[in-house]
Amino acid sequence: MGQESRKPRRQSIISMAVIGVIASILGIAAGLAIDWFPAQGSTQAKDIDTLWDVLIICSVPMFVLVTVVVLFSVREWREKPGEEATDGPPIHGNTRLEVIWTAAPAIMLVSLCTYAAIVLGDIEEAPAGNEARVAVTGEQFTWTFEYTGSDGTKFSTNQLYVEEGKSVRFDVKSKDVLHDFWVPEWRMKIDAVPGITTGFRITPTKTGVFPVVCAELCGLGHAFMRQSAHVLPSDKFATWMDQQVARVKEGGSDAGSGGGAPADGGAPDDAEPGGDSGGGAAAADGKAIFDDPANACASCHTLADAGSNGQTGPNLDEVLPGQSVDEVRTSIVDPKAQITDGFPDVMPTNYGDTLTPAQIDALVTYLTTATAK
C-alpha cells in the first residue's frame, strides 16, 4: 500500500517539475520580449534595463514555483466527499525542505540587493570632467528649470534643455507637495520633496524631444504636469545658452541675483549663433506665445482666433470679453486670484517667472484684442 501511494506522489512531483520548467521558460521569454520601456536615452538606461532583465529572470521561476505547488496541493489534498468532519493526518514536516525554501530565497534576495547596490553606485558616480547642473523646481502643476551661464548669469525656462553626451546633475525641489521628476527615456527619477533638495545625474545619449513626467500623484492637475526635455548637440546647446544669457542681460536684470529675466524656452534648432531665437520680434508676438506648446495655453483653452479647442481651462472667447488689461494680466501671472466656476485649479503659477515682462505684455495684448466684441 505504501509503495502504491508513493508512486502517484512521485508522478505528481515529476509533473510539477515539468510544468514549472516549461512555464518558467515561457514566462522569462515573454518578460524579456516585452518592450517595458521606451528607447534608451542615457548611459544610465542600459544598466537599469539590464537590472530589470535580471529581476525578471529571477522572479518568474519563483512565481511559477509557488503557483504550481499551490495548485497541485489543492488538487492532491483537497477535501473529498465524506471527509468534511475529519482532520488531516498529523504531519511533522520536512526539516530539510523547510531549510531549503527559507535559505534559497534569502540568498537570492541578498544577491539581487547587492547587484542593485552596485548598479546604483555605478550610475550615480560623478564624472571626472565638468558636469552641468540644472535646478528643477516642481509645483502644482508645472516644472521650472534654472540654469547658470558660464559668467554666472542665471535664467529659468519652463522647458528642459540638456547637451548630448555631457553629464547633467539635477537638483530637485518642490514648492508645495510631493512631486516626482522623471524622463522615461533616461530611466532615472526622484521625488521632489518640500523642504529638501534631492537629485540625480544622467548623461544623455540621444538627441530629440522627450516627455518630462510627474510620477507622483500630486493633485487634480497631476495628469497635466507635463513638459519636454530637449536634448541638443553640443553646438546647438551652446548657442541656446548664449541666447538665454544675452536675453537676460538685454532685459537689464541683475544677473548675479538669480532674478534675471527668464528665457522663453524656445528651441534653437533653426537658430544661427548670434540670432534672436525667440527674442525681439518673436517676444512681441502674443499669438506665437499662446500657440507655443511650451506654454500649454492652446492645449488647455479654447480660443477661436488661435484655432485651439482645449477643454481643461475656460473658453477664453466666453470669459475674457469685458475684462480689463489688468484683469487679463492677473489671470496669467496669478491664476489663483480668481478661478472660474466649474474648472479645476490646475493652471501653473510660474508664468511670471518663465515669460519675460515683454512676452506677458504681448500675450495680454493679443488675448484682449482677439476676444474683443
Side-chain angles (χ1 to χ4, degrees), residues 13-339:
I13 294 175
I14 293 174
S15 299
M16 284 194 296
V18 172
I19 293 176
V21 169
I22 294 175
S24 295
I25 293 174
L26 293 176
I28 292 173
L32 297 179
I34 295 173
D35 290 330
W36 299 97
F37 311 109
Q40 298 175 2
S42 71
T43 56
Q44 288 77 6
K46 181 179 180 180
D47 291 338
I48 293 174
D49 288 357
T50 300
L51 173 60
W52 176 263
D53 290 342
V54 171
L55 292 176
I56 288 178
I57 292 171
C58 293
S59 60
V60 167
M62 292 299 295
F63 173 79
V64 169
L65 172 63
V66 173
T67 303
V68 169
V69 169
V70 169
L71 294 178
F72 269 83
S73 297
V74 169
R75 191 193 74 171
E76 292 291 326
W77 291 287
R78 68 187 183 278
E79 184 180 78
K80 298 177 177 62
E83 298 179 346
E84 290 83 1
T86 62
D87 292 331
I91 299 175
H92 171 269
N94 187 315
T95 303
R96 179 183 299 175
L97 183 59
E98 291 174 2
V99 170
I100 292 174
W101 76 39
T102 301
I107 293 172
M108 179 181 291
L109 286 174
V110 171
S111 300
L112 290 175
C113 288
T114 301
Y115 174 48
I118 293 172
V119 172
L120 182 63
D122 290 342
I123 63 180
E124 288 190 338
E125 184 176 358
N130 293 331
E131 182 177 51
R133 295 187 81 98
V134 179
V136 181
T137 302
E139 61 181 298
Q140 294 175 312
F141 296 96
T142 188
W143 297 102
T144 303
F145 308 98
E146 183 179 282
Y147 297 79
T148 302
S150 57
D151 61 352
T153 301
K154 295 181 182 295
F155 61 90
S156 298
T157 74
N158 57 5
Q159 296 283 287
L160 175 61
Y161 287 85
V162 294
E163 179 180 350
E164 179 191 17
K166 183 171 183 177
S167 178
V168 185
R169 168 74 187 187
F170 297 103
D171 299 316
V172 183
K173 58 184 179 180
S174 170
K175 284 187 177 182
D176 38 41
V177 300
L178 280 177
H179 301 282
D180 194 292
F181 176 61
W182 182 36
V183 177
E185 282 77 5
W186 298 343
R187 303 296 188 268
M188 302 289 287
K189 69 188 185 79
I190 198 164
D191 281 350
V193 183
I196 67 174
T197 299
T198 58
F200 64 81
R201 59 173 46 86
I202 59 99
T203 301
T205 58
K206 184 179 180 181
T207 59
V209 182
F210 310 103
V212 177
V213 180
C214 177
E216 186 78 39
L217 184 60
C218 57
L220 289 175
H222 168 70
F224 306 104
M225 194 167 171
R226 299 291 188 269
Q227 266 120 307
S228 297
H230 305 254
V231 182
L232 305 178
S234 298
D235 56 342
K236 290 188 176 181
F237 181 77
T239 299
W240 179 80
M241 285 289 292
D242 290 342
Q243 290 167 349
Q244 311 316 307
V245 171
R247 188 169 297 122
V248 172
K249 293 181 176 179
E250 289 171 3
S253 302
D254 181 2
S257 69
D264 64 354
D269 298 70
D270 300 323
E272 296 295 333
D276 192 49
S277 181
D285 187 348
K287 187 176 187 300
I289 296 170
F290 184 88
D291 290 336
D292 189 346
N295 298 321
C297 303
S299 62
C300 289
H301 295 282
T302 293
L303 181 62
D305 187 82
S308 64
N309 56 3
Q311 302 296 317
T312 305
N315 184 327
L316 300 183
D317 292 310
E318 297 177 355
V319 300
L320 290 189
Q323 290 194 21
S324 67
V325 170
D326 288 340
E327 288 174 325
V328 175
R329 183 186 304 278
T330 299
S331 68
I332 296 172
V333 299
D334 186 16
K336 295 183 182 295
Q338 183 174 354
I339 301 171

